Amino acid sequence: MWKLLPLISFALVSVLGTVLAGQDKAVDEAARIAAVTQPTDDFSRSEPYELRPGGAATSFETVNRDAFSHASANMSFERELDFKVGNGIFRKIWVSAPASTASSDGLGPLFNARACQSCHLKDGRGHPPATSEDAGGSMLLRLSVPPQDDAQREALASLRQSVIPEPTYGTQLQDLSIQGHLAEGRLRIEYEEIPVELADGTVVHLRNPTYRVTDLNYGPMNPEVMLSARIAPPMIGLGLLEMIDESDILAGADPDDANGDGISGKPNRVWSEAHGEVRLGRFGWKAGEPTIRQQTAHAFAGDIGLSSDLTPTPAGDCTDRQPDCLAAPNGVDPQYGDLEVAPEMMDLVVFYSRNLAVPARRDLDDPDILAGKRLFYESGCITCHRPKYVTRRDEAHPEQSFQLIWPYTDLLLHDMGEGLADGRPDGNATGREWRTPPLWGIGLTEVVNGHTLFLHDGRARNLLEAILWHGGEAEAARKRIVEMTEAQRDALIAFLNSL
């Protein structure tokens, strides 16, 4: 028993206690979990175990650029090798086929990055291009069109597809290509400054982006094309999010706003390639992926042009209107099951992604941070940014099993208003809806990535701008923050930076 304790959250061992013999263990445990995950109303001090947002997996290496790159702290020595090998594959620079390095070829022919690490730099947050000449490798432009016929409408209705690809350019714009092929085009961004006056007279300028594509090399796009720019999100805590029980997520859903609080979070439902059925979406800006493995497979295919067990097409996102791309040499290998990313390699990358640790909180008993936490809670932010959960038990994933975690998300979709709308539906998500992003680690963005650019497309240059972009279901909470004094806003931001 005691040898297993490092793999169990000591927080839960202490807080939930020992279930006495003769009691109904399931009912008793469920009641204790419900009690420990209730939002606090005591802001005089930090809560028990709040220091460890990732439970026993929390990393305390938070003072340098590697703060997002550490393994789960409760990982056994035997499993650390898999984490390190997975990291090596995550950082691997892929090359075009054929090549002498058979396990590293198959890039493209059209792609956005040569390595996973190119977008998720230091396992952190991406950014939009700094200039019109900046390739902006950590930003992608998603593409789709409305359904064109009954078959496509049925594919969307059944959720076998989440979007209909643009007929020529597929589901995302590839701005890079291997030798002998033309990239698809270039993303261009123009910003308009929008002034917002706060109640105390402070004026904040927001950047409103407009996106367009130039230098198209394969003909015009469909006139009904829908564009959505996305930066790469941080990689930390993914395994913990995957281990939140589905019932705990759905318990927060209220798609018809039955309780009349103005918040109508709803789940995204998406097709799981591994399970052959519709599953709850958890990952991505619109919760468009059900598992870490499927998210990883789609990133290999769309971003780098590599086939794997869930996406076996070696030409990546190439379409029938790009015959040279489809006919290009690829890196498939019979010993890998005619795939470019061997299943064993995929397993290691998924294991690495699952075990990137959440950093510990900082200064959480500082009076200003406690004051900011009260304002965050009382402003209604926790209605969507739900503070904490207990993950389910799973012997296959001991690092994430039965942990008290603090991600500050409900993993549901919310209407964020016209200001943030991309107008591009994705599965059950409308063009105005986004998944509530986790907030853990957000205060270390500048330490890890050297910038403070937030939201799905990096338009917000700091946390206050990100808050002021909130609308729709978040409009009431935004209004309360607009009405704060400068000292209150500073305390609120201090709390967020402590996460």
Side-chain angles (χ1 to χ4, degrees), residues 282-493:
R282 297 173 188 248
F283 303 105
W285 287 106
K286 294 208 175 196
E289 301 289 0
T291 63
I292 298 171
R293 191 179 192 90
Q294 185 161 309
Q295 172 88 350
T296 304
H298 285 170
F300 268 130
D303 302 352
I304 310 179
L306 299 171
S307 58
S308 62
D309 51 6
L310 298 184
T311 54
T313 304
D317 195 42
C318 297
T319 70
D320 292 341
R321 299 184 185 182
Q322 298 168 331
D324 290 344
C325 180
L326 294 174
N330 57 59
V332 300
D333 192 320
Q335 68 174 323
Y336 298 154
D338 286 329
L339 302 172
E340 293 167 313
V341 180
E344 295 83 357
M345 296 173 70
M346 175 65 80
D347 290 343
L348 290 164
V349 173
V350 171
F351 182 78
Y352 173 75
S353 301
R354 179 177 289 121
N355 279 286
L356 283 164
V358 178
R361 291 280 306 279
R362 285 88 50 211
D363 304 319
L364 63 170
D365 279 309
D366 181 283
D368 287 340
I369 289 174
L370 290 171
K373 180 181 177 181
R374 177 191 289 274
L375 291 166
F376 186 84
Y377 280 51
E378 293 180 350
S379 294
C381 301
I382 65 167
T383 308
C384 300
H385 290 283
R386 178 177 167 181
K388 47 188 171 174
Y389 300 82
V390 172
T391 60
R392 68 179 186 272
R393 298 180 188 272
D394 190 336
E395 293 181 359
H397 307 300
E399 296 85 3
Q400 292 81 38
S401 179
F402 202 51
Q403 302 294 319
L404 174 62
I405 63 171
W406 309 67
Y408 284 92
T409 177
D410 60 5
L411 296 178
L412 297 172
L413 299 170
H414 295 276
D415 183 335
M416 295 302 293
E418 191 59 33
L420 287 178
D422 65 354
R424 180 180 182 268
D426 190 338
N428 286 335
T430 71
R432 291 167 57 101
E433 290 177 326
W434 300 92
R435 182 202 69 160
T436 306
L439 297 181
W440 50 16
I442 196 167
L444 292 171
T445 301
E446 187 168 14
V447 172
V448 173
N449 295 119
H451 67 76
T452 56
L453 302 174
F454 300 109
L455 299 178
H456 64 279
D457 56 3
R459 69 177 67 185
R461 290 165 291 195
N462 52 59
L463 289 171
L464 180 57
E465 287 188 20
I467 292 169
L468 294 177
W469 271 110
H470 283 51
E473 296 175 41
E475 182 61 36
R478 176 189 180 277
K479 183 178 179 182
R480 295 184 188 103
I481 294 167
V482 166
E483 294 172 349
M484 288 180 181
T485 65
E486 181 178 3
Q488 289 174 321
R489 291 196 304 273
D490 289 346
L492 176 65
I493 299 301

